[in-house]
Amino acid sequence: MEAIITGDLINSRQVEPSEWMPALKKVLKKYGKEPKNWEIFRGDSFQLNTKPEDALMAAILIKAKIKQWKNLDVRIGIGIGEITYQAAKITESNGTAFLNSGECFEELKKQTLAIKTPNKDLNETLNLMIELASLTIDRWTETAAKLIKLKIENQNLNQKDLANLLNKTAQGTISEGLKRAGYDEIQRLLNYYKLKISEL
C-alpha cells in the first residue's frame, strides 16, 4: 500500500510564488526526491508519494506551511492504494493510489482535505473526523500555522524550547497558541489515523 497526495494552492496568485514555492518544496523534500516521489506542476499543483501512515501528517504539515501567508491555503486529496506502474516521474506513475487520490481531490467541494482508502466505512469515519478538525485548521492564523508546523516537526521539544525558537518570552503564550490551534486534538486524530491505516 502507498499514499498519493494530490493538491493545489488556493489563492496562489495573491502571493508571489518566489515566497511560497521554496516553502512548499522544503516540506515535499522531507518525503523523498523530485520527480520520483514528488512533483510540482501547472504552477501551483503538486503530487507526493508517502507511506500511508505518514500521509495525513504530511498533508497537515503542508497546510501549516502554506497558511503562514495570509489568504493562502491548500486543497488536498489523499489516496491510499497500490502503485502498479512506477515511472521516473510521479506524475507518470499509475495505480489505485493515484486513482483514489485523483477522485478524492476532484470531489472536494467545501472541504479542503479528504481521504479515500479501499475501505468505504473507514473513509466515512476518517473524513468525518477530518471535516471536524478542518473547522479549526481552516481558521488558523499565520501565527498558529507557524506554531503547529514547528511543533509537528519538533515533537520532542517542550514549550520553553518552542518559545526560544519563536523568540517569544513566555511559554504560556505557546501553550495558549497550541490550544487555540487545536494541537492536542489534531495529534489524537493523527494517532487514530495511524492505527486504522496500519489495519488496512
Side-chain angles (χ1 to χ4, degrees), residues 165-177:
L165 272 178
L166 288 166
N167 297 324
K168 291 203 186 294
T169 44
Q171 66 185 69
T173 323
I174 301 293
S175 171
E176 268 305 303

Side-chain angles (χ1 to χ4, degrees), residues 49-93:
N49 176 201
T50 72
K51 292 187 207 142
E53 62 271 23
D54 294 339
L56 187 57
M57 184 185 277
I60 290 173
L61 198 53
I62 290 167
K63 271 188 164 291
K65 192 79 176 172
I66 295 301
K67 283 181 76 67
Q68 289 179 47
W69 283 273
K70 196 173 168 58
N71 298 327
L72 282 194
D73 201 349
V74 197
R75 293 186 320 142
I76 291 174
I78 302 170
I80 310 283
E82 292 174 348
I83 295 179
T84 46
Y85 173 67
Q86 185 103 48
K89 294 171 78 164
I90 185 174
T91 46
E92 293 171 9
S93 297

Side-chain angles (χ1 to χ4, degrees), residues 14-147:
Q14 291 188 20
V15 179
E16 283 296 317
S18 58
E19 289 190 44
W20 56 260
M21 185 73 80
L24 176 59
K25 284 184 174 181
K26 197 172 176 186
V27 179
L28 297 175
K29 276 179 190 166
K30 285 178 184 294
Y31 297 96
K33 291 188 162 59
E34 179 188 17
K36 190 179 190 295
N37 305 105
W38 63 269
E39 208 174 343
I40 296 171
F41 55 96
R42 282 202 316 250
D44 65 357
S45 298
F46 59 90
Q47 263 193 330
L48 168 67
N49 176 201
T50 72
K51 292 187 207 142
E53 62 271 23
D54 294 339
L56 187 57
M57 184 185 277
I60 290 173
L61 198 53
I62 290 167
K63 271 188 164 291
K65 192 79 176 172
I66 295 301
K67 283 181 76 67
Q68 289 179 47
W69 283 273
K70 196 173 168 58
N71 298 327
L72 282 194
D73 201 349
V74 197
R75 293 186 320 142
I76 291 174
I78 302 170
I80 310 283
E82 292 174 348
I83 295 179
T84 46
Y85 173 67
Q86 185 103 48
K89 294 171 78 164
I90 185 174
T91 46
E92 293 171 9
S93 297
N94 210 325
T96 53
F98 287 92
L99 297 174
N100 285 340
S101 180
E103 282 173 20
C104 182
F105 181 76
E106 292 304 323
E107 286 163 12
L108 288 172
K109 298 285 186 282
K110 289 178 183 170
Q111 281 301 105
T112 60
L113 177 59
I115 187 165
K116 187 170 186 180
T117 76
N119 182 325
K120 202 163 173 250
D121 291 340
L122 180 59
N123 292 346
E124 280 192 28
T125 306
L126 285 176
N127 281 316
L128 177 61
M129 293 173 81
I130 289 169
E131 212 169 308
L132 290 170
S134 293
L135 293 173
T136 301
I137 294 170
D138 289 346
R139 290 187 175 87
W140 280 345
T141 60
E142 297 94 287
T143 312
K146 189 175 185 179
L147 183 55

